[in-house]
Amino acid sequence: GAFWGLMVGLVVGVCRMVLEFAFPPPRCGIVDSAPMVLRSVHYLHFAILLCGLTAIVVAVVSLLTTPPSHEQVGTHASI
C-alpha cells in the first residue's frame, strides 16, 4: 500500500510540476490560458489534497491486499 501510495503521489505531483513549467504566469493584461487546476488551486492547497489522495490510496491498497506471511514479516529472532 505504501509503495503504490507513493507512486500515485509522485505521478500526480510531477504532472502538476510539468503543468507549472508549461504554463508560466502571464504578464499583466494577458488572459491566463493555464488549466483550471493551476489558476484556481494554490500550490499549498494542492499539496494538502495530494497528501489526502496518497493516504487514501495507501489505505485502500493495504485493505485490498493480503497481509504478509509470518516468514515475510521476519519477527522471529535468529541467533
Side-chain angles (χ1 to χ4, degrees), residues 2 19 22 24-25 31 33 35 42 46 51-52 61 65 69 72 77:
L19 286 174
V31 177
S33 64
H42 192 270
F46 182 80
C51 180
V61 172
T65 56
S69 66
Q72 290 172 325

Side-chain angles (χ1 to χ4, degrees), residues 19-74:
L19 286 174
E20 288 280 351
F21 285 119
F23 295 97
R27 295 181 183 176
C28 293
I30 298 177
V31 177
D32 192 1
S33 64
M36 185 67 103
V37 70
L38 293 180
R39 286 183 298 179
S40 56
V41 180
H42 192 270
Y43 74 95
L44 292 176
H45 295 148
F46 182 80
I48 294 170
L49 294 172
L50 184 58
C51 180
L53 172 68
T54 302
I56 290 169
V57 170
V58 168
V60 169
V61 172
S62 293
L63 291 172
L64 292 178
T65 56
T66 58
S69 66
H70 185 68
E71 292 80 23
Q72 290 172 325
V73 175

